[in-house]
Amino acid sequence: MIVALAASSAFMTPVSSPVNTLVVAPGGYGFGDFVKLGVPFTLVVMAISLLLVPWLLPLR
């Protein structure tokens, strides 16, 4: 489950999803803007996932 969540939470690049790619030019965003906000958000999602997945979906 962690691998599936990790695959769907790519926030550090404008080419990670079609929505990110669509807003780059109209918003005037650069690659660095996605990195600045994507790294902390990815770390938050990782921490929450590592805490909640074993609790919500135990192996036994």
Side-chain angles (χ1 to χ4, degrees), residues 19-46:
V19 175
N20 288 353
T21 307
L22 286 172
V23 300
V24 170
Y29 299 119
F31 191 83
D33 296 323
F34 285 90
V35 173
K36 280 191 284 189
L37 293 174
V39 170
F41 193 54
T42 300
L43 293 174
V44 167
V45 169
M46 180 186 70

Side-chain angles (χ1 to χ4, degrees), residues 3 6 11 14-19 23 27-28 30 32 39 49-50 58 60:
V3 173
F11 305 113
V15 293
S16 63
S17 74
V19 175
V23 300
V39 170
S49 297
L50 287 174
R60 293 182 186 224

